[in-house]
Amino acid sequence: MRRWLIELLKSETILIVASILALVSCFIVPPDAGYKDYVHMSTISQLSCLMLVVCGFQRIGVFRIIGSRLLHHVNTARGLVITLIAMTYFSAMLVTNDVALVTFVPFAIAVLIMANMEDKAVLVGALMTIGANVGSMLTPIGNAHNLYLKALTGMPASEMIGIMAPYSATAAVMLVIISCVVFGKQPVSEFQSLDGTGIEQGVLAPESGKHQPDEIRITGYGAGYGGWRTIVYTLLFVVCLLAVSDFVPLWAMCVIVFAAFLICDRKVFKNVDWGLPLTFCMFFIFIGNMKRVPEFYQLARSLVGGHPLEVAVASSQVISNVPTTILLSGFCDQWRDLIIGTNLGGMGTLIASMASLISYKNVVRQYPHKKGRYLAVYSAVNVLFLAVLLTLSWIIEPSF
């Protein structure tokens, strides 16, 4: 029981804190009819449906199969690293930074072992994490807090993309430059003799006697990207995008997605991390209650003041960018600054974006003796990116 509680505290720290804050706020503002307006159901429904669809894709191995096919064309160490970073950068735009890192960091470690480049695992892991965070900042569905801000403000997806495009593009250029400077053109021949299926097998389950991932047990190796399920899940993903863009009613999206997975793969409901939407609900209750306390409301607004971008970046370093977004959105209406600040705030400390912990855990699990080195490399590279992008915001934003 004690061990279970410790693991729960480690894995759901933010949810537990949010729940405590929500509970305490309920004593300050006792439950009444006003509570029904607290939870932003648009955000919760969109987030839940997207999580189900992405989990479905994960269970049939679409992302790692695509990665295996791409690696077949890699010839140099530089090309290998850029390909691995590009996987997290571009996939995070559509499936969130969390999913991109859960999928591709373990994949990358296995690939680096196959390519005899284990000594680069720490740096590659840090760069892939940045790639996921700066890729996900570009789109409303790339980050959970972006999805919330879009639903809250009613901002068109094109406008949000336009706001973050200079920062995401600048970071991408920096990633390519660093990769070209650090990694040379030495040949990587390990993948030339393998087709995509061979790489997939070598990465996912090199030893047949060990546990095999869902994608192998469900579809087998080289199963055409998941067969008919890929077509169904792709259509479901399009439905979610149309709902986010307000072309499909939210209730229709929920009915279609939930019904489809009841038929196609019920285990998806068990594998989805329901702690994230629940965390949102707890923060909604806390903010909803505290906005009704005049003294707290005035204090919070004064603390945010005229610099919400910097406040968002700074607070994200301590409590991460998702809680920061929900908290500041209750006391700030400068949406452009808040969007930029919470997205840039995902860089910096290890907990600035909770997705970054995924990379840390995977690298440290494989190389426990490199924990300190990873933290040092990760922090140095992230501070560099944060400094450059924050300076860029001071240059191009009208308020500065």
Side-chain angles (χ1 to χ4, degrees):
M1 182 66 177
R2 181 181 177 183
R3 184 175 181 180
W4 178 82
L5 287 173
I6 293 174
E7 289 299 320
L8 180 65
L9 286 171
K10 288 181 178 180
S11 61
E12 299 292 352
T13 304
I14 295 181
L15 173 58
I16 293 172
V17 172
S19 300
I20 293 172
L21 291 174
L23 180 62
V24 171
S25 72
C26 290
F27 287 99
I28 300 174
V29 180
D32 58 19
Y35 272 55
K36 63 181 177 61
D37 298 321
Y38 287 172
V39 177
H40 205 270
M41 290 308 301
S42 174
T43 301
I44 300 301
S45 59
Q46 291 173 1
L47 181 60
S48 298
C49 287
L50 280 167
M51 289 171 64
L52 283 169
V53 175
V54 170
C55 184
F57 275 126
Q58 281 183 292
R59 280 177 52 76
I60 59 174
V62 168
F63 309 124
R64 284 193 284 198
I65 294 172
I66 292 174
S68 299
R69 302 301 189 267
L70 290 174
L71 287 178
H72 178 57
H73 303 285
V74 167
N75 298 310
T76 66
R78 178 183 298 167
L80 173 60
V81 172
I82 291 177
T83 300
L84 292 173
I85 295 172
M87 287 178 188
T88 58
Y89 179 80
F90 288 107
S91 63
M93 296 179 187
L94 298 176
V95 299
T96 75
N97 51 357
D98 301 73
V99 173
L101 294 173
V102 164
T103 302
F104 288 118
V105 170
F107 177 90
I109 292 174
V111 165
L112 292 173
I113 292 173
M114 292 174 67
N116 297 313
M117 292 176 57
E118 278 191 274
D119 58 318
K120 306 296 184 183
V122 168
L123 179 56
V124 172
L127 293 176
M128 289 179 70
T129 304
I130 292 176
N133 287 333
V134 300
S136 65
M137 71 168 61
L138 182 63
T139 65
I141 61 173
N143 280 320
H145 68 272
N146 277 350
L147 190 65
Y148 165 62
L149 287 172
K150 184 191 180 302
L152 180 65
T153 63
M155 181 181 294
S158 57
E159 183 178 348
M160 181 172 283
I161 292 173
I163 291 173
M164 294 309 305
Y167 306 99
S168 186
T170 300
V173 172
M174 292 175 65
L175 285 168
V176 172
I177 292 173
I178 291 174
S179 299
C180 290
V181 170
V182 175
F183 301 95
K185 295 183 178 180
Q186 60 267 34
V188 176
S189 59
E190 285 76 10
F191 305 118
Q192 300 305 305
S193 60
L194 299 173
D195 59 10
T197 301
I199 297 172
E200 176 194 346
Q201 181 171 356
V203 170
L204 294 179
E207 299 181 36
S208 59
K210 292 188 176 181
H211 173 72
Q212 295 181 331
D214 281 339
E215 53 260 48
I216 296 175
R217 290 189 287 104
I218 293 174
T219 65
Y221 291 113
Y225 300 92
W228 61 269
R229 287 183 176 86
T230 301
I231 299 173
V232 174
Y233 297 170
T234 300
L235 293 174
L236 293 177
F237 188 68
V238 171
V239 169
C240 291
L241 292 181
L242 291 174
V244 171
S245 302
D246 301 321
F247 290 111
V248 171
L250 292 175
W251 66 266
M253 172 191 67
C254 292
V255 170
I256 293 171
V257 171
F258 277 76
F261 279 108
L262 285 173
I263 297 171
C264 296
D265 186 4
R266 296 183 182 181
K267 288 186 178 180
V268 164
F269 293 98
K270 180 180 179 180
N271 290 348
V272 166
D273 178 16
W274 296 110
L276 181 58
L278 185 57
T279 299
F280 269 79
C281 291
M282 294 299 103
F283 275 119
F284 286 149
I285 293 172
F286 172 70
I287 294 300
N289 280 332
M290 300 315 293
K291 286 177 70 174
R292 294 169 63 180
V293 179
E295 296 81 6
F296 184 90
Y297 182 78
Q298 293 301 325
L299 176 62
R301 284 191 67 90
S302 65
L303 290 175
V304 177
H307 302 283
L309 193 156
E310 289 87 346
V311 172
V313 170
S315 59
S316 294
Q317 306 308 304
V318 181
I319 63 174
S320 87
N321 53 1
V322 171
T324 292
T325 303
I326 303 173
L327 291 171
L328 297 187
S329 66
F331 311 100
C332 168
D333 55 5
Q334 299 179 55
W335 303 121
R336 184 183 180 93
D337 287 348
L338 191 57
I339 289 170
I340 296 171
T342 52
N343 278 294
L344 299 190
M347 290 170 286
T349 65
L350 188 62
I351 63 170
S353 171
M354 297 305 291
S356 301
L357 291 172
I358 295 170
S359 302
Y360 171 75
K361 291 177 181 177
N362 277 282
V363 174
V364 170
R365 186 183 300 118
Q366 183 71 26
Y367 309 104
H369 59 289
K370 294 184 178 181
K371 182 183 298 185
R373 183 183 173 190
Y374 182 86
L375 288 173
V377 171
Y378 175 89
S379 300
V381 178
N382 266 266
V383 168
L384 170 63
F385 274 75
L386 179 58
V388 170
L389 297 184
L390 189 57
T391 301
L392 180 62
S393 74
W394 293 336
I395 295 172
I396 68 177
E397 290 308 308
S399 57
F400 296 102

